[in-house]
Amino acid sequence: MSFLKSHLDWNQALLPAVTQRLLSTKSVKWMDLSDTLVVLPTVQSGRRLRESLALAATQSSGGLLPPLILTPDGVLTEALKGTHTASAPCVTTAWVKILNHIDPTQFKTLFPVKPAQTIGWQFGMAQRFIQLRNQLGEEGLSIADTAKKIAETGGETERWRQLARLEALYLEQLESRDLADPQKARYKAASNYKPPEGIKRIILAATPDPQALPLYALRQASKRFPVEIWIYGPDENLFDDSGRPLSKKWIQRALPFEKWNCRMETFTDLKATAQCITQYIQKAPPESVLIGLANAELAPIVTEALNHGKIPNYDPGGTALHHGGPGRLAELLVQLAEYPGTITVRTLLQHPDISEWAGIDSASGKQLRTLDQIVERHLTADLNALIRFCQDPALSRTLEEIRKLQHKLARSENFGQALAHALQSIYTGKEKRSSGDTNTFWSEQAEAVRKLLESAKEVADRFDSLSPEFERTAFKQALKQTKVYPDRPKNAHDLLGWLELLWNDAPHLILAGMNEGNVPESIVGDAFLPETLREQLNLRTNEQRFARDAYLLEALCRRRAENGRIDILVPKSANDGIPLKPSRLLFQGEPETLLPRTEKLFSKPPKIDIRSSHAPAWELSPPQGLAMPESFSVSSLKNYLECPFRFFLRHIMKMRTLDVEARELTLATFGTLFHDTVAHLKGMALDSSIKQANLAKKLHEIAEDELHRKYGKNRSFALRLQQETLMARITAFCERQIEDVHKNGSTTVCETEIDFTMPIEGVTIKGVIDRIDKRDGRTELVDYKTADHPRTPPEAHLSKITHKALPTHLPNEAHFVHEGASYYWTDLQLPLYALSKRQNEGERPKVAYFNLAKTLDKSRLATWEDFTDSHLTAAHECAGAVIRQIKAGVFWPPNPDVREAYDDFAPFFPEGIENSVNADAFRNYPFK
């Protein structure tokens, strides 16, 4: 017997047509389809058909015994039940084993450059060889079979001969462990295919792209009874006898999008495309809209946009196991075993299940804040460093428990078993506490992790001498490749892939991501199977994929031409800026349609307001009732002069950034370390008798002690580099200091790191003067600066006003005229230092920067030569005006000229401060 072809009207919805045709063979109320096998293209289409049959049976007040519904691949999977084939982890391990032991010089055609046979390389090559065998297996071919064909026809004979040698070694690995190769088993199952017991009828329904091997199995079944092929399309010689679109017919077939009333729209990128989808379905019921995502990268972006718009949605493609719950915890424990770095430890403590296990109050965040402070202060690189510097008893106990976990995981001879024990100890009692929980997703994740651990145990049992590094890498890879499927929310919009769309009859069709490479699907630059070789081997070609996708596009559009709506959305670039081309299928039309379509698809995209997808769901307003601080530092006044709004965030709301991933000193911390070192000069008389080398040696020893006290002995590579930089700056300081003594005479360092306070407008201004010298009876105030690009004191404190007026965010008193030139104050540090000492001693002191730059030629003592009493008066007036504005609650407008690269708060305002903030609330903020 053979295949029996029949056609379904593709101007009508597919799902009702298949449902009605299946049920039409049964005339009684009790419909028994249990003797029927229906083969459908995807799992999702099978789910929809079951629902449709059940609903039809309910409406007819009858009963239903449903058919067996499988995908083409499921036909072979069902046939292989009970056969002990090698699992995917075992297959990967077998390949890695041989790649670990081969001599690459014996396979020079495959590896012309001898590779570094690392675990990463072995896994990468193993996956590539597995993929190659899977592609060949679609036609029931092995690498050895392919090598023979190529030897007969000519080609890269030696290359394929070496591939066949590797395949033979791989098969030996499996056979020696009594494991069957999955590809060989599939071919054998297809060759000897017998339908499941009780099946008397097989239907391949609306499946335009079945793989060759399942088709071969169905042909074997057709020897027993006819196999029906239901084609969703016209009987116009457009399909072969298996229901696959004929390439030559569809490549030439015009797609009249204009006749189907399709609307084509282009967008700047994927985010703009996702925002358009959100706008289209804002108030639409799920049954009225079909969302098709031809580009898989759109799925998470569309999900985020819909979630932001509070629109229920569901991705049938599932979620990677390592993205949350027990899967994420298992991945973190693997990372902990590999290297207990600070980032891993911190991320681990943020996991809710670890918080519960360790007894951490995650709501308060106290232990995490303490951990962050340790990282910031000591630049801790790993778990041992965290424990050393931790002074909090509760956090210390938690870190010690994590260290015990780490030791067990890292030192165990059987990593999978150690990981299973670790997870068991963490989740002890969790099942009892959550047994009444209606949310089963956690249980499904836990079950998926358990199965992976069982697979890891099987691999460890069958393959001896596996390194812990291999076991960890294999498990992490398995976590990333395993999908779990959360419950579908009520009234959710499904985000379907390209091949799922035929089975949904919603009147509004949205096709998003219609770009070349996605639709039509194509493979370009395959190192082993170029297009010409695919044709020779009768594998699926890009031409066949084009025909399939052209057919699907027409089938989707034509039935909605009269009573539906079709939106084809074409992004012009990916989110990383890489240009995307429109799909070739969109130009598949009559000659007269080519120009209008081209103009449309390459026109400038419309402007779409996507701020709502980035902006927070609230407008930033300050908290009410904050107290007016009783004191401010000199540096905080500089912050106000830079930007009143950012001053409010930093000094009134106490917001600040914290980089928990830092492994090197910030500029400020580097400067503090230098300050702490040279502060030991207090009381020292510096004169011509001081030897530069002796002074440098003394300060180097002090700096080393400071580094050890703050950061321990095991410092990061970056920190060790900065240590060398610090020592170089200290050497430069000593050289310049001795030069100054020889040039300007001896000086005495009277005070270092001296605190001062002074009242201005009823508020205490505080500061720390780095150094106070006495030279020839006059006081000198010195401030150290360790910036790479030093400035003189006038350059740092004053900015010249040229053609522009005084910046709008500054008070009028910030304006200062000196020797006929107009300036405005940008910093008040040295003048207020000098003013405080003058009030105490009566004489105006000299002020200077001691610049210690990256290079010696830029390092020097820079005195403010034209510093006068008028500077003191003007600086005091400016400080008074700033304090008055702070008291009045004036923190608006912000400074628009703050560069984003130097703005700690820029990430909070992606659309600009003015678009995200309640400005009126910052113009006159009422303190408590």
Side-chain angles (χ1 to χ4, degrees):
M1 294 187 181
S2 61
F3 290 165
L4 298 180
K5 285 179 19 178
S6 60
H7 293 263
L8 301 168
D9 185 358
W10 67 345
N11 293 308
Q12 304 297 322
L14 172 60
L15 183 61
V18 173
T19 302
Q20 292 170 12
R21 190 164 181 177
L22 279 171
L23 297 179
S24 65
T25 60
K26 306 293 178 179
S27 58
V28 296
K29 281 192 173 184
W30 184 265
M31 294 170 282
D32 184 1
L33 296 173
S34 60
D35 62 349
T36 302
L37 167 60
V38 181
V39 182
L40 299 183
T42 65
V43 173
Q44 182 77 353
S45 58
R47 181 185 69 81
R48 291 187 62 83
L49 179 59
R50 289 187 189 92
E51 292 175 351
S52 180
L53 288 170
L55 181 61
T58 302
Q59 290 174 344
S60 65
S61 301
L64 172 70
L65 288 176
L68 175 62
I69 301 176
L70 299 173
T71 63
D73 191 66
V75 170
L76 295 182
T77 302
E78 183 77 13
L80 285 170
K81 278 186 177 179
T83 305
H84 193 66
T85 58
S87 64
C90 285
V91 168
T92 301
T93 305
W95 276 107
V96 170
K97 272 278 189 181
I98 65 169
L99 291 168
N100 184 44
H101 290 99
I102 63 168
D103 179 2
T105 60
Q106 301 299 312
F107 298 86
K108 281 191 174 181
T109 306
L110 276 178
F111 311 116
V113 178
K114 186 176 180 180
Q117 290 170 272
T118 62
I119 287 291
W121 176 82
Q122 291 164 8
F123 266 92
M125 289 306 303
Q127 290 302 312
R128 186 62 191 91
F129 291 143
I130 291 170
Q131 181 187 35
L132 174 62
R133 294 192 78 246
N134 289 343
Q135 290 172 326
L136 295 171
E138 292 178 8
E139 283 291 331
L141 295 172
S142 65
I143 293 178
D145 297 332
T146 307
K148 289 178 182 177
K149 288 178 177 286
I150 290 175
E152 294 170 359
T153 59
E156 295 181 296
T157 305
E158 180 58 23
R159 191 173 187 226
W160 280 93
R161 188 183 69 81
Q162 292 182 9
L163 282 170
R165 283 175 58 196
L166 288 179
E167 182 185 53
L169 292 172
Y170 152 76
L171 292 173
E172 286 177 9
Q173 286 281 334
L174 294 185
E175 290 168 6
S176 66
R177 291 166 175 84
D178 197 27
L179 291 170
D181 171 53
Q183 289 301 327
K184 280 192 169 184
R186 284 169 59 86
Y187 181 72
K188 184 177 180 181
S191 301
N192 303 309
Y193 181 73
K194 295 179 181 178
E197 188 175 350
I199 296 298
K200 300 177 181 178
R201 183 187 187 197
I202 297 178
I203 301 166
L204 179 65
T207 304
D209 191 25
Q211 292 183 1
L213 211 53
L215 273 181
Y216 183 47
L218 295 183
R219 289 193 185 278
Q220 299 301 105
S222 70
K223 296 175 182 179
R224 296 170 173 263
F225 49 78
V227 173
E228 302 174 39
I229 308 295
W230 293 2
I231 299 173
Y232 186 53
D235 186 7
E236 298 174 3
N237 295 321
L238 296 174
F239 305 89
D240 66 12
D241 64 348
S242 305
R244 294 177 294 190
L246 294 170
S247 300
K248 292 182 180 179
K249 297 281 187 177
W250 287 93
I251 286 176
Q252 303 298 325
R253 187 177 175 87
L255 299 177
F257 296 111
E258 294 78 11
K259 178 181 176 181
W260 299 329
N261 297 317
C262 295
R263 297 172 52 188
M264 295 185 188
E265 296 182 80
T266 59
F267 299 90
T268 53
D269 55 22
L270 302 185
K271 288 183 179 178
T273 307
Q275 186 62 23
C276 177
I277 294 173
T278 303
Q279 294 172 359
Y280 280 163
I281 68 171
Q282 193 73 48
K283 298 181 180 179
E287 63 273 11
S288 69
V289 183
L290 170 58
I291 303 172
L293 305 182
N295 184 350
E297 292 181 8
L298 265 171
I301 300 171
V302 174
T303 297
E304 181 183 358
L306 295 180
N307 289 341
H308 185 270
K310 298 181 180 179
I311 301 173
N313 61 90
Y314 179 69
D315 181 2
T319 304
L321 180 57
H322 73 294
H323 280 173
R328 175 58 175 157
L329 178 56
E331 182 182 47
L332 288 171
L333 291 176
V334 175
Q335 293 175 10
L336 184 71
E338 290 176 327
Y339 173 65
T342 300
I343 297 174
T344 298
V345 173
R346 187 180 188 278
T347 309
L348 196 60
L349 288 175
Q350 288 178 302
H351 195 288
D353 296 334
I354 283 288
S355 298
E356 185 177 353
W357 168 74
I360 296 174
D361 183 3
S362 56
S364 69
K366 179 183 176 183
Q367 290 197 1
L368 281 175
R369 285 197 299 272
T370 303
L371 188 76
D372 290 344
Q373 291 166 2
I374 296 171
V375 173
E376 184 181 43
R377 290 172 186 167
H378 304 287
L379 298 178
T380 49
D382 56 25
L383 179 57
N384 289 332
L386 285 171
I387 292 174
R388 178 192 169 191
F389 290 109
C390 183
Q391 301 297 319
D392 181 273
L395 180 57
S396 292
R397 287 193 296 271
T398 299
L399 294 176
E400 285 290 355
E401 289 299 317
I402 290 177
R403 181 155 64 179
K404 291 178 185 177
L405 269 181
Q406 195 272 335
H407 285 171
K408 290 178 181 177
L409 290 168
R411 299 173 182 178
S412 173
E413 294 182 359
N414 188 324
F415 176 76
Q417 187 177 42
L419 180 58
H421 288 163
L423 289 168
Q424 187 175 14
S425 68
I426 291 169
Y427 286 118
T428 298
K430 170 113 180 148
E431 188 174 345
K432 292 181 180 179
R433 290 193 297 274
S434 61
S435 59
D437 194 348
T438 57
N439 182 12
T440 60
F441 189 45
W442 183 93
S443 299
E444 292 174 2
Q445 291 174 301
E447 177 63 15
V449 172
R450 187 190 65 78
K451 288 181 178 179
L452 291 183
L453 289 169
E454 285 185 353
S455 295
K457 183 179 183 302
E458 180 193 10
V459 170
D461 290 342
R462 290 184 177 274
F463 294 84
D464 55 354
S465 304
L466 296 177
S467 68
E469 183 184 9
F470 169 84
E471 291 185 283
R472 291 193 292 262
T473 304
F475 190 78
K476 283 195 299 183
Q477 185 184 68
L479 279 173
K480 292 177 181 178
Q481 292 176 344
T482 303
K483 292 289 189 73
V484 286
Y485 302 89
D487 293 335
R488 185 175 183 273
K490 187 178 181 181
N491 297 321
H493 288 271
D494 290 327
L495 307 180
L496 301 178
W498 177 243
L499 300 178
E500 305 278 3
L501 301 177
L502 274 186
W503 295 83
N504 189 303
D505 53 0
H508 183 188
L509 170 64
I510 300 175
L511 292 177
M514 292 293 290
N515 297 104
E516 189 65 22
N518 300 323
V519 176
E521 180 190 6
S522 59
I523 297 175
V524 180
D526 191 303
F528 293 114
L529 294 173
E531 190 73 0
T532 52
L533 183 56
R534 287 176 178 275
E535 292 176 359
Q536 291 177 22
L537 298 174
N538 204 29
L539 299 175
R540 280 191 301 175
T541 63
N542 287 337
E543 194 174 82
Q544 290 172 326
R545 292 186 179 91
F546 183 98
R548 178 202 66 190
D549 291 342
Y551 155 72
L552 288 172
L553 186 56
E554 177 165 356
L556 287 168
C557 292
R558 68 180 300 120
R559 75 175 190 230
R560 294 175 172 86
E562 295 184 5
N563 300 314
R565 173 180 171 179
I566 305 163
D567 290 293
I568 298 176
L569 312 183
V570 186
K572 304 193 78 169
S573 69
N575 286 330
D576 56 6
I578 295 177
L580 300 175
K581 294 185 291 186
S583 167
R584 282 176 290 160
L585 291 174
L586 302 181
F587 300 97
Q588 196 84 352
E590 300 295 342
E592 61 271 15
T593 66
L594 182 59
L595 182 58
R597 290 188 195 177
T598 303
E599 289 176 341
K600 178 66 177 176
L601 292 170
F602 286 95
S603 62
K604 187 175 181 180
K607 289 185 178 180
I608 291 186
D609 183 8
I610 62 171
R611 286 182 298 173
S612 59
S613 65
H614 297 287
W618 37 262
E619 185 179 53
L620 178 63
S621 293
Q624 298 301 306
L626 293 176
M628 168 69 187
E630 297 179 356
S631 64
F632 290 105
S633 67
V634 174
S635 61
S636 68
L637 299 185
K638 176 185 177 181
N639 295 148
Y640 189 95
L641 294 173
E642 289 174 343
C643 177
F645 174 73
R646 294 173 175 87
F647 168 90
F648 183 91
L649 299 181
R650 182 175 286 110
H651 297 288
I652 306 300
M653 292 183 65
K654 308 298 183 184
M655 294 175 64
R656 69 185 186 95
T657 58
L658 181 64
D659 186 1
V660 297
E661 299 184 11
R663 292 295 173 268
E664 60 183 8
L665 302 171
T666 64
L667 293 177
T669 309
F670 183 89
T672 300
L673 192 57
F674 177 86
H675 283 61
D676 292 344
T677 301
V678 296
H680 288 78
L681 295 176
K682 179 179 179 179
M684 181 179 289
L686 302 174
D687 55 31
S688 57
S689 67
I690 299 291
K691 299 296 183 182
Q692 177 185 324
N694 294 338
L695 181 61
K697 180 181 179 182
K698 175 183 177 179
L699 294 179
H700 283 169
E701 290 173 351
I702 293 170
E704 177 59 39
D705 289 342
E706 286 290 321
L707 283 164
H708 181 265
R709 182 177 63 85
K710 291 183 176 179
Y711 306 110
K713 288 185 178 180
N714 298 324
R715 300 164 201 155
S716 67
F717 177 71
L719 188 51
R720 294 199 301 272
L721 286 179
Q722 287 185 306
Q723 176 180 338
E724 296 303 315
T725 302
L726 175 64
M727 298 306 178
R729 300 276 172 109
I730 291 173
T731 300
F733 163 75
C734 295
E735 184 173 338
R736 291 307 190 209
Q737 181 65 73
I738 299 303
E739 285 180 3
D740 175 70
V741 169
H742 285 292
K743 180 180 179 181
N744 299 312
S746 61
T747 185
T748 300
V749 182
C750 302
E751 298 282 355
T752 59
E753 302 295 313
I754 182 69
D755 294 332
F756 85 88
T757 60
M758 62 183 300
I760 298 179
E761 295 290 332
V763 173
T764 300
I765 302 301
K766 301 187 298 184
V768 177
I769 302 173
D770 291 345
R771 175 172 150 183
I772 302 177
D773 286 7
K774 280 288 186 179
R775 193 195 302 259
D776 297 331
R778 187 172 180 185
T779 301
E780 295 182 346
L781 308 182
V782 180
D783 194 70
Y784 297 113
K785 296 296 182 184
T786 54
D788 289 342
H789 304 286
R791 295 187 293 172
T792 65
E795 291 170 342
H797 286 74
L798 294 166
S799 183
K800 197 167 187 179
I801 300 175
T802 53
H803 62 282
K804 290 184 179 180
L806 185 72
T808 56
H809 68 280
L810 294 176
N812 292 329
E813 289 82 355
H815 182 229
F816 174 54
V817 178
H818 180 62
E819 295 183 350
S822 290
Y823 303 88
Y824 62 86
W825 289 100
T826 57
D827 194 356
L828 303 170
Q829 182 189 33
L830 289 183
L832 292 186
Y833 285 178
L835 190 60
S836 71
K837 301 310 294 182
R838 181 173 189 177
Q839 289 173 345
N840 294 334
E841 301 177 8
E843 181 187 10
R844 172 173 52 81
K846 295 177 67 175
V847 293
Y849 279 168
F850 209 134
N851 285 319
L852 283 306
K854 185 182 293 186
T855 56
L856 181 62
D857 62 303
K858 293 183 180 180
S859 300
R860 63 174 54 86
L861 191 69
T863 304
W864 195 335
E865 297 294 348
D866 64 344
F867 188 64
T868 66
D869 287 345
S870 64
H871 287 86
L872 296 181
T873 302
H876 187 270
E877 290 177 355
C878 180
V882 168
I883 296 300
R884 290 192 296 273
Q885 291 205 168
I886 292 173
K887 284 183 171 182
V890 178
F891 303 106
W892 198 266
N895 181 2
D897 296 326
V898 175
R899 293 172 60 185
E900 183 174 337
Y902 298 97
D903 182 9
D904 291 339
F905 302 105
F908 293 108
F909 310 108
E911 301 299 329
I913 293 174
E914 293 80 1
N915 297 319
S916 311
V917 171
N918 179 4
D920 291 337
F922 290 94
R923 286 195 173 95
N924 187 21
Y925 179 78
F927 285 104
K928 182 170 64 176

